[in-house]
Each structure stands twice: as C-alpha cells, then as structure tokens.
C-alpha cells in the first residue's frame, strides 16, 4: 500500500513536470512553424527571364461563346507548361489608330529561356492550336527578354 502511494505521488509529480514542459514547448513549436511559413513566403525566387506575347485575330463570325472557350482553354493549357510564373490575357483595346489586326492577347512569363523554347513544342499547346486554329485568321507569337534595371 505504501509502495503504491509513493508510486502514485512519483507518477503525479512526473506528469506535472511533463505537462509544464509541454505547456512551454507547444507555443515554441507553433512560433517555429509560423516563422518557417513567413520565411518561405519571402525567400527570393529566381527572376523570370522571358515573356511570350501571343496575339490572335479571330475569323469574322466567330461567336463570343467560342472566344470565351478559347480563353478558358488557353488558361487551362498554360497549366500544363513548365515554369510559367505568370499569365494574363485580354481583348485588344480598339482605338482610332489601330487597324484591328488582332482581337486578343495572351501574356506568358517564363522563369527560363529553356522553358520558353520547350513551350513551342509542348503537347498541350499543339493540341490547343489544332482545336482552335479553324477560328483564327492571324497569329503573332513573340518572345522577349525581361530587362532588369
């Protein structure tokens, strides 16, 4: 009986020490996790090197639904291309000075020059062209270096 009482006191004291230690370690662990997340968010990444401009003129009679389908498919297609760090697209703004050469513009930003070269032969891109080429009259694709100053 006495042994059991001593054993219970010993276990209670040991559990109390364990709880104190745990009480201090949990916030320290949470703070460490938070700091790792913040550090990961601010680690500088390799800057992008190449931007590709894709201009497309649709055939007369192409419906708005087909143009919206085109935008959606292009946005999906770029997800299958490596090292695309940014993508945006939009309709060309018509002004008095423009000759309505193109209807839409897509901007793709690549991390490396090699990625931009690989994009040209990407299977998803070639499938996209095959499916949508019937609606186009003119296409212009240009790569440019991104200058850092």
């Amino acid at each position: 009986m006495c042994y059991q009482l001593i054993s219970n006191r010993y276990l209670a004291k040991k559990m109390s020490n364990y709880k104190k230690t745990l009480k201090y370690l949990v916030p320290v662990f949470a703070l460490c996790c938070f700091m790792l997340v913040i550090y990961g968010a601010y680690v500088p990444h390799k800057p992008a090197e190449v931007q590709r401009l894709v201009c497309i003129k649709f055939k007369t009679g192409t419906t708005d639904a087909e143009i919206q389908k085109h935008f959606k498919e292009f946005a999906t297609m770029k997800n299958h291309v490596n090292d695309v760090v940014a993508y945006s697209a939009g309709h060309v703004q018509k002004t008095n000075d423009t000759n309505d050469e193109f209807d839409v513009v897509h901007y793709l930003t690549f991390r490396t020059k090699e990625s931009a070269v690989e994009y040209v032969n990407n299977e998803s891109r070639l499938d996209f062209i095959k499916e949508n080429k019937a609606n186009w009259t003119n296409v212009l694709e240009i790569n440019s270096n991104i200058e850092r100053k």
Side-chain angles (χ1 to χ4, degrees), residues 6-120:
I6 293 172
S7 177
N8 286 343
R9 284 186 184 165
Y10 175 75
L11 285 175
K13 188 174 183 178
K14 192 161 184 99
M15 287 302 289
S16 174
N17 288 341
Y18 176 74
K19 287 181 181 179
K20 282 182 185 177
T21 304
L22 195 59
K23 192 188 312 183
Y24 289 109
L25 285 179
V26 168
V28 169
F29 178 75
L31 182 63
C32 288
C33 290
F34 176 72
M35 289 171 60
L36 284 172
V37 168
I38 294 300
Y39 175 75
Y42 292 106
V43 172
H45 298 286
K46 182 179 176 189
E49 294 180 358
V50 176
Q51 188 166 39
R52 186 169 186 95
L53 179 71
V54 180
C55 304
I56 297 174
K57 174 72 174 170
F58 290 102
K59 290 182 179 177
T60 306
T62 304
T63 65
D64 285 340
E66 290 171 322
I67 293 172
Q68 290 308 315
K69 178 180 172 260
H70 163 92
F71 275 114
K72 186 182 257 186
E73 288 179 359
F74 199 102
T76 303
M77 178 266 302
K78 63 96 181 154
N79 291 331
H80 300 286
V81 178
N82 291 334
D83 285 341
V84 174
V85 294
Y87 167 74
S88 60
H91 291 274
V92 174
Q93 295 180 0
K94 308 294 184 195
T95 63
N96 295 336
D97 299 341
T98 62
N99 57 3
D100 295 336
E101 201 171 343
F102 297 103
D103 295 319
V104 298
V105 180
H106 299 275
Y107 302 93
L108 293 153
T109 305
F110 294 94
R111 191 170 309 284
T112 64
K113 292 177 185 176
E114 293 78 21
S115 300
V117 171
E118 290 174 12
Y119 163 79
V120 173

Side-chain angles (χ1 to χ4, degrees), residues 1-8:
M1 179 83 173
C2 186
Y3 175 74
Q4 189 177 12
L5 184 60
I6 293 172
S7 177
N8 286 343

Side-chain angles (χ1 to χ4, degrees), residues 120-132:
V120 173
N121 297 317
N122 184 283
E123 187 176 327
S124 296
R125 176 185 173 269
L126 297 175
D127 291 342
F128 173 79
I129 291 171
K130 193 185 318 177
E131 291 175 18
N132 291 283

